[in-house]
Amino acid sequence: MEKIAIAIDGPASSGKSTVAKLLAKDFQFIYVDTGAMYRAVTYLAIQHQVAFDQEEELVELIKNYPISFKQTVDGQLVFVNDQNVTEEIRQTDVTAAVSEVSAHREVREQLVRIQQELAKQGGIVMDGRDIGTTVLPDAEVKIFLVASVDERAQRRYKENLEKGRESDLETIKEAIAQRDYLDSHREVSPLVQAIDAVKIDTTGMTIKQVVAKIQQVIQEKGYEIS
Ligand code: DC
């Protein structure tokens, strides 16, 4: 498989990371979860008692605590410095504040630079909100995944159950709708579909079907899947 870049954008819980991971594994590409990076900064802010509106201090955190990924047999782990924060960045307090943190221009500039560096060699699947529009505007394949709020809330609720985390469906629904609004209405790199992205509505589709659909898009663009 040619070492192309695949950008997968879409709202919260649209299934981006699940399908991105599967595609990366299939093609032996690097997978980069950019949401995890914004979550890591938010986690650092909470740990260091930096207010979410303090842009300069947030940027200092990014400079002082490098964010990295490690591939293991148990999946991809997220680190800040030497600390494994893979679990912590999924907690409710981080999720509730991440849209505010990720709205800052300088925070985005710092992280976008790291993301572009990670993608330099090609052979990458990157998921987020602004990959096709800002981070990798020249990506060979751009996918925009959407699904209804109800379905996304159900998926998140089931995932929580499986992981033994307590949660409430209505609260999840409200939080998803709120995050959709904030992510799509921010001034810097809002969540929008790139003009050359292929939109896939995953409502009612299985993960397998979504992966197959993306593979079909890749093939239709003339890349051979081996
Ligand atoms: O994909 P996720 O839910 O883990 O992302 C967490 C938040 O990070 C999301 O609400 C918005 C922000 N984000 C962003 O602004 N740009 C990205 N490329 C990825 C995520």
Side-chain angles (χ1 to χ4, degrees):
M1 172 85 180
E2 214 175 305
K3 293 222 162 298
I4 60 169
I6 303 172
I8 303 185
D9 290 300
S13 305
S14 54
K16 299 182 299 291
S17 62
T18 309
V19 295
K21 270 181 217 159
L22 289 170
L23 288 167
K25 197 170 168 205
D26 245 27
F27 303 151
Q28 293 181 313
F29 280 11
I30 296 167
Y31 164 60
V32 177
D33 174 358
T34 62
M37 299 171 78
Y38 290 96
R39 287 174 178 273
V41 180
T42 308
Y43 169 78
L44 281 170
I46 294 168
Q47 289 300 301
H48 295 269
Q49 295 173 351
V50 168
F52 305 132
D53 61 355
Q54 292 303 303
E55 186 165 10
E56 292 304 317
E57 288 184 48
L58 293 169
V59 169
E60 278 308 303
L61 288 175
I62 299 173
K63 289 181 179 162
N64 294 331
Y65 298 90
I67 300 163
S68 59
F69 296 102
K70 273 191 193 137
Q71 308 295 335
T72 71
V73 281
D74 298 325
Q76 191 171 66
L77 304 180
V78 186
F79 284 78
V80 286
N81 260 0
D82 296 335
Q83 189 192 353
N84 179 356
V85 295
T86 313
E87 278 294 313
E88 288 80 350
I89 62 169
R90 303 287 157 198
Q91 283 164 5
T92 326
D93 52 348
V94 172
T95 304
V98 67
S99 287
E100 187 177 350
V101 169
S102 61
H104 295 296
R105 185 181 300 275
E106 280 196 51
V107 168
R108 303 200 68 82
E109 278 174 10
Q110 291 288 330
L111 295 189
V112 166
R113 202 169 319 136
I114 301 169
Q115 290 155 11
Q116 289 173 335
E117 194 61 36
L118 288 168
K120 235 167 149 181
Q121 308 299 321
I124 187 133
V125 185
M126 193 175 277
D127 80 31
R129 304 291 189 286
D130 60 342
I131 311 307
T133 53
T134 307
V135 183
L136 305 176
D138 298 328
E140 285 85 354
V141 176
K142 297 183 187 179
I143 305 290
F144 196 76
L145 285 189
V146 297
S148 70
V149 173
D150 274 356
E151 171 130 349
R152 288 185 283 141
Q154 287 281 0
R155 288 179 191 162
R156 191 45 62 96
Y157 180 69
K158 260 177 72 186
E159 187 185 323
N160 286 345
L161 271 185
E162 281 161 16
K163 295 198 170 149
R165 296 188 201 124
E166 222 176 280
S167 64
D168 169 69
L169 187 58
E170 276 311 305
T171 313
I172 296 176
K173 227 182 264 182
E174 281 164 25
I176 285 180
Q178 163 80 352
R179 212 137 62 87
D180 279 0
Y181 182 85
L182 292 174
D183 294 345
S184 339
H185 288 81
R186 68 172 173 234
E187 214 176 295
V188 196
S189 299
L191 168 68
V192 285
Q193 182 180 345
I195 41 170
D196 49 350
V198 176
K199 183 172 172 174
I200 301 173
D201 186 343
T202 71
T203 310
M205 284 173 86
T206 64
I207 291 162
K208 222 171 146 185
Q209 287 170 328
V210 180
V211 170
K213 175 77 197 158
I214 296 175
Q215 285 172 336
Q216 186 192 328
V217 171
I218 295 170
Q219 281 175 320
E220 280 168 4
K221 286 191 179 286
Y223 299 101
E224 231 173 81
I225 295 177
S226 50

